[in-house]
Amino acid sequence: MASETHMSGPECLIENTNGRLLVNPKALKILSAIQQPVVVVAIVGLYRTGKSYLMNKLAGENKGFSLGSTVQSHTKGIWMWCVPHPKKPERTLVLLDTEGLGDVEKGDNQNDSWIFALAILLSSTFVYNSMGTINQQAMDQLHYVTELTDRIRAKASPDVDGVEDSADFVSFFPDFVWTLRDFSLDLEADGQSITADEYLENSLKLKKGTSQKDKNFNLPRLCIRKFFPKKKCFIFDRPTDRKKLGQLEELCDDKLDPEFVQQAAVFCSYIFRNSKTKTLSGGIKVNGPRLEALVQTYVSAINSGDLPCMENAVLALSEIENTAAVKKAIAHYDQQMDQKLQLPTETLQELLDLHRTIEKEAIEVFMRMSWKDIDHLFQKELAAQLDEKRDDFCKKNLKASSDRCSALLKDIFSPLEEGVKEGIYSKPGGYRLFIEKIQELKKKYLQEPRKGIQAEEILQEYLKSKESVTAAILQTDQTLSEKDKLIEVERVKAESAQAAAKMLEEMQIKNQQMMEQKEKSYQEHVKQLTEKMERDRAQLLEEQERTLSLKLQEQRRLLQEGFQEENRRLHEEIQNLQKKMKKPRKQCCLS
């Protein structure tokens, strides 16, 4: 990460003032400077459960995010800390610490729901922090997850029935990590040791009943399973005795419970190694400016009373970046043309060949930066601007050639002009001298380099402007007979007609070259667009396969649990039947 984006401490990203969310411009400026892809880890949980301590550990510091030491919620809104990623130098780690949920002083559950939703929308790893075990109370406190479909939209236009498939959410939801603080139970099930992950999976098992009580029990579990196929659980012992909890920032590791220190180290290691880069649909990796735009888009939607929509946010972001891609491509074209083009060019083809080479580079610049260019509107805009640039350079080339040729003619033919003024050709034999002088100066003009594409046309215009002078000198030359004069007039007319035919041919060639260039430009756009579409299609297929794989995994897990439950029930029935069969029968006594 560039040194100017390194933060010595956290900065408030989204302020929560009187129930209204406000984006902090200072934090946005920090994000705008981070060009690396970002790994975003957000933590959410009830207030006073030690969220900030874990985030400070991820930042490699004891102090930073405010811990507080009272029963009041200390963190307000969402705070951000951008630090170099300790395991991935090409990534920046963005830590988001959220205000505690369920703070009685706020008395606003809707505000908590938006904080919860924003943490999910912005993160690539979502950490839910709670105290104690995973029991029904813990599930009830996680009711925010059941409201996600009421707070977030994946698509701008849901399906016909108005319902969005959980797969739509899975495709962009973060990985889920549940951290259990002050965990005091032994990790066992049916007398066997189990892992924290197995404990979480067992806690998320569904009840088979259909009563309202069963539905209430299953709802948060079902939402977690559907929305977060990748789940992880960590347990933490109490870090120290209760009296010292308010001094955690000051305590070194050797003053804390060794088990807790080890558990925190394992948690941090997992986050560093397994948290993914924040990615949008289509495999678009999020960097600082993209995260900045997402923050602004989501908060703006919430404040305006709309639901944050992932699809709309991606489209808004793509419009910003596609606009920038067009500007970048045009800037590249302008820079390269300024460096490599020397006007006037000797031929039109020379200019068109250079344009085509740099146009190709400009399209490549655009293709690298652009994404989700719906209906190729931005590429069409680029094509239009490049065509306009080409035509503008052609006009400049014409003018540069005309100016140079006119200046050359004025300089080269100045002796002829002076001779006409002095009357040196107005005498017997003067016409022959005049024509010889014109041919001599014409030859000198044609030998001059870099005259450009107007060389012949400007010359003919000049010679045409001298026709009256030529005719006057011809008529005053007494050495020529009337017949000779008529022959000379016809010769001049023939030369003029020949020059006109030549210019017409050159114009037709230029028009043909322009038509061919336009076709080549079109083909280049099509070629690069086709290649990009193939790459995008491959990324989309990969993303769809990943989403389908996650859904299949969840379905297999549900089927497996169903089989296990059925086997357990059958096993119990068999055991009951065996007990009945082993029970001794009563003996009947005959009197």
Side-chain angles (χ1 to χ4, degrees):
M1 183 172 61
S3 59
E4 63 267 23
T5 62
H6 178 73
M7 300 172 64
S8 58
E11 184 73 40
C12 185
L13 175 62
I14 302 173
E15 299 175 16
N16 182 9
T17 307
N18 298 323
R20 184 172 176 82
L21 303 176
L22 301 173
V23 179
N24 179 11
K26 186 177 179 182
L28 294 182
K29 186 176 180 181
I30 293 170
L31 285 176
S32 68
I34 302 174
Q35 297 305 314
Q36 287 184 327
V38 293
V39 175
V40 187
V41 180
I43 191 165
V44 169
L46 296 179
Y47 75 105
R48 306 310 318 129
T49 54
K51 302 186 308 300
S52 299
Y53 177 85
L54 287 181
M55 298 306 273
N56 287 338
K57 280 296 180 185
L58 289 175
E61 304 288 346
N62 284 337
K63 295 182 179 181
F65 290 111
S66 178
L67 300 186
S69 57
T70 69
V71 294
Q72 291 180 308
S73 175
H74 225 249
T75 303
K76 296 296 182 183
I78 298 179
W79 284 68
M80 174 186 78
W81 198 351
C82 304
V83 297
H85 199 293
K87 299 296 182 184
K88 302 172 184 177
E90 74 286 358
R91 297 288 185 268
T92 292
L93 181 62
V94 178
L95 304 172
L96 301 179
D97 188 17
T98 63
E99 67 179 78
L101 306 176
D103 184 359
V104 292
E105 292 184 0
K106 288 187 296 185
D108 187 357
N109 287 332
Q110 177 169 297
N111 190 267
D112 284 347
S113 296
W114 285 129
I115 294 292
F116 190 93
L118 281 170
I120 285 178
L121 286 167
L122 297 174
S123 66
S124 50
T125 295
F126 178 82
V127 181
Y128 181 70
N129 190 73
S130 67
M131 300 294 289
T133 61
I134 302 177
N135 51 26
Q136 191 54 39
Q137 181 184 2
M139 284 293 174
D140 291 340
Q141 290 169 344
L142 193 50
H143 65 88
Y144 305 100
V145 76
T146 67
E147 303 169 0
L148 285 176
T149 53
D150 298 325
R151 299 287 175 182
I152 298 172
R153 283 189 300 166
K155 296 180 178 179
S157 301
D159 296 334
V160 178
D161 56 6
V163 178
E164 293 187 285
D165 194 315
S166 62
D168 297 330
F169 292 94
V170 167
S171 64
F172 69 85
F173 266 28
D175 294 338
F176 182 85
V177 176
W178 196 329
T179 52
L180 299 169
R181 311 297 289 276
D182 297 356
F183 190 85
S184 57
L185 297 181
D186 292 330
L187 285 177
E188 290 185 357
D190 299 326
Q192 299 291 323
S193 295
I194 57 174
T195 65
D197 292 339
E198 290 170 333
Y199 173 69
L200 174 60
E201 288 299 328
N202 289 340
S203 302
L204 295 178
K205 286 183 177 179
L206 308 178
K207 284 187 175 181
K208 297 297 181 182
T210 57
S211 67
Q212 189 59 47
K213 184 177 180 181
D214 292 331
K215 290 179 180 178
N216 292 340
F217 177 91
N218 288 337
L219 183 57
R221 292 167 171 81
L222 190 60
C223 288
I224 292 173
R225 296 171 67 134
K226 277 190 172 184
F227 296 148
F228 305 103
K230 187 174 181 181
K231 298 175 283 292
K232 185 72 178 174
C233 183
F234 292 93
I235 63 171
F236 296 85
D237 291 354
R238 184 185 285 265
T240 185
D241 60 72
R242 189 176 63 83
K243 292 181 180 180
K244 293 181 180 179
L245 287 177
Q247 307 169 21
L248 276 181
E249 290 182 347
E250 311 299 333
L251 296 178
C252 298
D253 285 351
D254 57 3
K255 300 296 183 182
L256 300 176
D257 182 283
E259 282 292 322
F260 174 82
V261 173
Q262 176 62 22
Q263 290 160 346
V266 171
F267 166 77
C268 290
S269 177
Y270 174 84
I271 295 296
F272 294 150
R273 295 184 183 281
N274 294 279
S275 290
K276 302 175 297 187
T277 300
K278 176 67 177 173
T279 305
L280 303 176
S281 59
I284 305 300
K285 289 181 171 57
V286 175
N287 57 12
R290 287 174 178 169
L291 185 60
E292 172 196 11
L294 290 177
V295 170
Q296 291 177 299
T297 302
Y298 292 141
V299 172
S300 176
I302 292 170
N303 287 334
S304 63
D306 295 331
L307 296 182
C309 175
M310 187 63 187
E311 185 177 53
N312 286 346
V314 170
L315 289 176
L317 183 55
S318 68
E319 284 189 10
I320 293 171
E321 297 206 8
N322 288 337
T323 300
V326 172
K327 290 181 179 178
K328 188 81 171 177
I330 292 298
H332 175 85
Y333 178 87
D334 288 341
Q335 180 192 41
Q336 292 298 306
M337 288 294 281
D338 287 344
Q339 287 180 1
K340 298 178 179 179
L341 179 61
Q342 183 180 352
L343 295 177
T345 58
E346 203 63 54
T347 64
L348 175 62
Q349 194 61 53
E350 180 184 341
L351 171 60
L352 295 180
D353 287 345
L354 180 61
H355 162 80
R356 186 186 177 197
T357 299
I358 298 176
E359 177 189 50
K360 181 180 179 181
E361 294 175 3
I363 298 172
E364 288 171 352
V365 169
F366 173 80
M367 290 299 179
R368 283 197 300 269
M369 294 182 62
S370 68
W371 51 283
K372 283 195 177 299
D373 183 9
I374 307 299
D375 296 329
H376 318 302
L377 294 179
F378 289 93
Q379 188 180 2
K380 290 175 183 176
E381 171 62 22
L382 173 65
Q385 289 194 37
L386 288 172
D387 285 349
E388 187 178 336
K389 293 279 183 182
R390 177 201 61 214
D391 293 345
D392 188 48
F393 274 115
C394 286
K395 290 176 183 177
K396 288 179 179 179
N397 195 35
L398 281 172
K399 186 176 186 307
S401 177
S402 297
D403 291 347
R404 172 161 171 73
C405 291
S406 296
L408 279 173
L409 288 170
K410 184 177 180 180
D411 180 58
I412 292 172
F413 279 78
S414 60
L416 182 71
E417 301 280 357
E418 291 297 324
V420 171
K421 288 180 182 179
E422 294 172 0
I424 62 175
Y425 303 112
S426 301
K427 60 182 181 180
Y431 180 76
R432 182 178 58 79
L433 294 175
F434 182 76
I435 295 299
E436 288 175 353
K437 191 63 175 178
I438 285 180
Q439 295 301 322
E440 175 194 337
L441 298 179
K442 181 179 175 182
K443 183 178 180 182
K444 184 178 179 181
Y445 167 81
L446 293 175
Q447 288 174 344
E448 288 289 332
R450 305 300 300 180
K451 293 187 297 297
I453 59 178
Q454 291 292 90
E456 184 65 26
E457 185 171 338
I458 298 300
L459 174 62
Q460 294 306 318
E461 287 178 1
Y462 177 80
L463 295 177
K464 190 171 184 62
S465 70
K466 300 302 174 186
E467 283 182 357
S468 59
V469 175
T470 304
I473 293 173
L474 175 63
Q475 294 304 320
T476 58
D477 193 341
Q478 298 177 358
T479 61
L480 295 175
S481 65
E482 289 301 318
K483 182 179 179 181
D484 291 336
K485 290 178 181 178
L486 288 174
I487 292 173
E488 192 59 28
V489 168
E490 291 302 321
R491 185 189 67 80
V492 171
K493 286 182 179 180
E495 279 189 0
S496 181
Q498 187 178 6
K502 183 179 179 182
M503 284 192 293
L504 179 61
E505 183 182 356
E506 287 182 356
M507 188 177 297
Q508 290 173 340
I509 291 172
K510 290 175 185 176
N511 289 336
Q512 181 64 29
Q513 289 173 336
M514 288 296 293
M515 292 297 293
E516 290 175 357
Q517 174 57 44
K518 289 179 181 179
E519 178 62 23
K520 289 175 182 177
S521 293
Y522 172 75
Q523 293 298 334
E524 184 62 36
H525 277 281
V526 171
K527 174 177 173 289
Q528 293 204 34
L529 177 61
T530 302
E531 291 173 353
K532 182 175 176 59
M533 289 176 67
E534 287 297 324
R535 293 193 298 270
D536 291 346
R537 188 178 293 111
Q539 285 184 338
L540 180 61
L541 287 173
E542 184 179 342
E543 184 178 334
Q544 290 174 339
E545 288 174 1
R546 184 180 70 85
T547 302
L548 180 60
S549 175
L550 291 172
K551 288 190 70 177
L552 289 174
Q553 288 176 19
E554 183 61 24
Q555 289 174 354
R556 281 196 294 268
R557 189 181 296 112
L558 287 170
L559 287 172
Q560 186 178 8
E561 287 182 4
F563 289 140
Q564 289 175 346
E565 180 65 24
E566 183 66 19
N567 287 336
R568 185 189 63 77
R569 188 182 62 78
L570 288 173
H571 182 68
E572 288 179 354
E573 289 181 0
I574 291 171
Q575 284 184 325
N576 290 335
L577 184 60
Q578 288 175 337
K579 287 178 182 178
K580 287 180 181 179
M581 292 176 66
K582 290 179 180 178
K583 190 174 182 180
R585 297 179 180 177
K586 291 183 179 180
Q587 299 291 327
C588 293
C589 297
L590 297 175
S591 54

